[in-house]
Amino acid sequence: MNSRFAREKKPAGLMLTSLLDMFTIILIFLIVSFEAEDYEFKLDSDLKLPESSAQSVLKPAVNLAITPVDLKLDGKKVMTLNRGKFDEQYYSDGEIPEVVELLKEERERILAIEDPENEEDPAIVLIQADKGLDYQTLYLVMRSASMAGFDKYRLAIMKK
Amino acid sequence: MAFSRFKSAADEAAADLNVVPVMNLFMVLIPFLLLGATFFHIGVIPTSTPTLSPSDSDVPKTPTTVAVNMEIDVDTIAISAASVSLSEEQLTALSGEWGKKAGKYPVKDVQAALLDIKGQYPESNTITVLPHEKLGYQDLVEILDHTRNHVTGKDKDGEDVREDLFPVTIFSRKITENPINEGEDPEGEGEAGGEEEMEMDEGGEE
């Protein structure tokens, strides 16, 4: 009697059904949240963007990141900040000469490759600024960009 | 009896799906999708700064448009309007100043005043913002959220439906110190104690 039951026992197998269910749910979630974007945006890890209800979408632009410790142009460190402030001299001068020079070069490079029939001004700066910065610092960077020929800005925000 | 027992065991074996290839496929797909997944959404606020322009002043000449200025001080927030086709009394009626409430700017009151201006001059879309130097970036963005558009209701998915208010934002700054004299002002931007005096293009973009 016992031997018959022992013979009928199947070898132990892995129950993959529940695992498969879980993977299916994860897969659906990831497919829904997957967004194919033609513009690669790199959020600087040293800053926290302000939250906003703005709905405008990202477009390609020159990327300026202002963190509490440095200023980066397209990922390359340009200046050092001390607790979110530049040297006092820059505030009294109303511009940051190093940023002006670099952005002038960037503007020339953009205009050289830009389609002349394109009516929209391609010289736009995307500013990623830490939400803890003050307006004085933000405006100093915008003004420096303005002196280099950039007068349109897109302030990067985290959508609510 | 014995035959039927063997048959049912065979059927049972055939009924088990081999899910291992599906699992393998998932194991490849999930890391791939994880790399491309966005767990936060980045947007932008289009703005501009004043630019020197050979053209006329940006103060509107049509009676359907006014230029709105918003001054954000440490304790108050004020709006004023400018238009060459409106009288001083009409412009004064559009102005307003509000003090902070419980340490916060009364953005709802400001938005209501801007809605009133928009109702009277619906083609107006530009606001010049003059924050004080110490204003935090997050606070500035919160104020802009209330000046750029307003919520008119909810759609069927429960999302806010927004309507433009003053979507073109121009940043400027107040000159807090009196220039020594006009001749020594290197940028020629300061009149005595006034706001930044520059002719402006509507540089904002949507």
Side-chain angles (χ1 to χ4, degrees):
Chain A
M1 199 67 175
N2 283 340
S3 66
R4 199 184 73 198
F5 283 126
R7 214 169 38 240
E8 281 179 0
K9 239 183 205 174
K10 287 168 65 181
L14 267 176
M15 281 294 292
L16 293 174
T17 313
S18 50
L19 195 62
L20 195 68
D21 291 345
M22 189 184 76
F23 274 15
T24 307
I25 291 166
I26 293 172
L27 195 67
I28 290 168
F29 168 77
L30 289 174
I31 288 172
V32 168
S33 64
F34 186 83
E35 280 186 12
E37 288 182 5
D38 56 349
Y39 170 49
E40 192 182 343
F41 173 77
K42 283 182 184 167
L43 178 63
D44 197 292
S45 56
D46 296 335
L47 57 83
K48 286 181 181 173
L49 293 179
E51 290 184 2
S52 168
S53 58
Q55 299 297 310
S56 302
V57 292
L58 279 171
K59 289 178 189 171
V62 178
N63 200 335
L64 263 180
I66 318 166
T67 75
V69 290
D70 55 22
L71 183 144
K72 293 171 190 162
L73 174 64
D74 285 333
K76 290 177 190 166
K77 185 174 172 180
V78 177
M79 303 275 312
T80 304
L81 281 83
N82 183 15
R83 294 181 185 177
K85 298 294 259 184
F86 292 104
D87 285 348
E88 201 55 46
Q89 183 63 37
Y90 294 127
Y91 294 103
S92 49
D93 290 350
E95 64 171 303
I96 309 169
E98 293 90 334
V99 175
V100 175
E101 283 307 310
L102 284 169
L103 284 177
K104 271 184 184 168
E105 288 170 17
E106 194 67 21
R107 182 178 158 80
E108 282 168 16
R109 190 188 63 78
I110 291 169
L111 293 178
I113 58 170
E114 183 61 23
D115 180 4
E117 291 180 7
N118 189 1
E119 289 180 3
E120 194 181 348
D121 186 1
I124 298 172
V125 177
L126 173 71
I127 298 178
Q128 298 179 43
D130 187 87
K131 64 180 180 183
L133 295 175
D134 59 24
Y135 179 71
Q136 189 184 27
T137 301
L138 189 68
Y139 189 77
L140 180 64
V141 174
M142 286 198 281
R143 190 168 171 83
S144 301
S146 175
M147 300 224 169
F150 292 85
D151 56 4
K152 290 180 181 172
Y153 317 96
R154 296 188 178 121
L155 304 178
I157 51 90
M158 195 75 73
K159 286 184 184 174
K160 278 182 184 170
Chain B
M1 190 70 178
F3 177 74
S4 66
R5 195 184 73 205
F6 285 127
K7 191 182 174 189
S8 68
D11 283 349
E12 207 172 288
D16 284 341
L17 263 175
N18 185 7
V19 292
V20 176
V22 183
M23 294 289 291
N24 290 340
L25 180 69
F26 279 16
M27 291 299 285
V28 174
L29 276 177
I30 287 174
F32 171 75
L33 288 170
L34 268 174
L35 288 175
T38 51
F39 297 102
F40 49 84
H41 296 278
I42 307 287
V44 291
I45 301 176
T47 62
S48 63
T49 48
T51 52
L52 283 170
S53 160
S55 64
D56 285 345
S57 162
D58 71 321
V59 177
K61 294 181 176 58
T62 58
T64 54
T65 319
V66 290
V68 177
N69 295 318
M70 180 169 67
E71 283 184 48
I72 308 167
D73 274 327
V74 178
D75 295 318
T76 60
I77 185 165
I79 58 169
S80 58
S83 171
V84 291
S85 57
L86 296 180
S87 68
E88 197 64 34
E89 289 77 28
Q90 286 174 304
L91 292 175
T92 308
L94 299 174
S95 305
E97 184 171 332
W98 300 265
K100 273 185 170 178
K101 289 176 184 171
K104 291 202 165 190
Y105 290 106
V107 284
K108 294 279 180 194
D109 295 341
V110 175
Q111 190 181 52
L114 291 174
L115 261 172
D116 187 40
I117 296 174
K118 187 76 173 178
Q120 293 180 57
Y121 306 97
E123 288 176 30
S124 308
N125 66 352
T126 305
I127 187 164
T128 305
V129 185
L130 301 124
H132 70 88
E133 292 181 339
K134 305 293 175 201
L135 182 69
Y137 185 30
Q138 177 67 61
D139 293 338
L140 177 63
V141 167
E142 277 174 27
I143 294 169
L144 291 184
D145 280 350
H146 289 83
T147 62
R148 296 181 72 251
N149 53 43
H150 68 110
V151 178
T152 55
K154 301 257 182 199
D155 64 11
K156 59 183 178 183
D157 299 325
E159 297 287 322
D160 288 343
V161 177
R162 292 177 178 274
E163 197 173 83
D164 279 349
L165 204 53
F166 290 87
V168 180
T169 307
I170 299 172
F171 281 126
S172 191
R173 72 185 170 102
K174 292 173 69 180
I175 307 295
T176 50
E177 294 166 17
N178 287 330
I180 299 162
N181 66 50
E182 236 174 275
E184 288 180 18
D185 187 353
E187 293 163 0
E189 65 176 20
E191 297 297 328
E195 294 165 4
E196 190 164 6
E197 295 284 339
M198 296 177 92
E199 292 186 342
M200 291 178 281
D201 289 332
E202 286 187 6
E205 40 140 12
E206 270 303 287

